[in-house]
Amino acid sequence: MPLPAILFLAQRASALVLAPLVLIHLGLAIYAIHGGLSAAEILGRTQGSLGWTLFYGLFVIAAAVHAPIGLRTVLREWLGWKGLAADLALAAFGILLLALGLRAVAAVTGA
């Protein structure tokens, strides 16, 4: 399968995963704010939770796949940046997103 087709499928699949996760995340944030929960109370509820670790871990993985592919398209269309250098830079960006995101998940959940 050619690379553009693989990237197309990967971006659509990651969007299918991200959409419900974003809605759940926003709903929980609104609930927490309206409930008057402090940051310490929220962290108290997430620390040591396998469920939150899996939820936000999946969120981070999907975002780390989705964002660089979309950014690749934007850079190609707006700046004309194509080729191996662009692909490698965006792959590195995706890996950076993944590493930083998983580090944040570990900090919030204690995983």
Side-chain angles (χ1 to χ4, degrees), residues 62-90:
V65 169
H66 189 82
I69 297 170
L71 187 56
R72 178 182 185 265
T73 301
V74 170
L75 291 175
R76 289 171 72 89
E77 290 176 3
W78 288 10
L79 302 179
W81 192 25
K82 301 176 184 178
L84 183 61
D87 290 343
L88 291 175
L90 290 164

Side-chain angles (χ1 to χ4, degrees), residues 15-52:
L16 284 172
V17 172
L18 275 172
L21 297 179
V22 167
L23 292 175
I24 293 167
H25 172 75
L26 290 174
L28 289 169
I30 291 168
Y31 172 78
I33 290 168
H34 285 290
L37 293 175
S38 68
E41 290 169 322
I42 293 169
L43 286 175
R45 294 178 182 196
T46 60
Q47 288 292 310
S49 171
L50 178 61
W52 289 123

Side-chain angles (χ1 to χ4, degrees), residues 1-17 65-66 69:
M1 185 179 294
L3 181 61
I6 293 169
L7 294 176
F8 179 86
L9 291 174
Q11 184 157 44
R12 292 335 182 259
S14 62
L16 284 172
V17 172
V65 169
H66 189 82
I69 297 170

Side-chain angles (χ1 to χ4, degrees), residues 17 21 46 49-61 102 105 109 111:
V17 172
L21 297 179
T46 60
S49 171
L50 178 61
W52 289 123
T53 301
L54 295 174
F55 176 85
Y56 282 110
L58 182 59
F59 195 121
V60 165
I61 292 166
L102 291 177
V105 169
T109 63

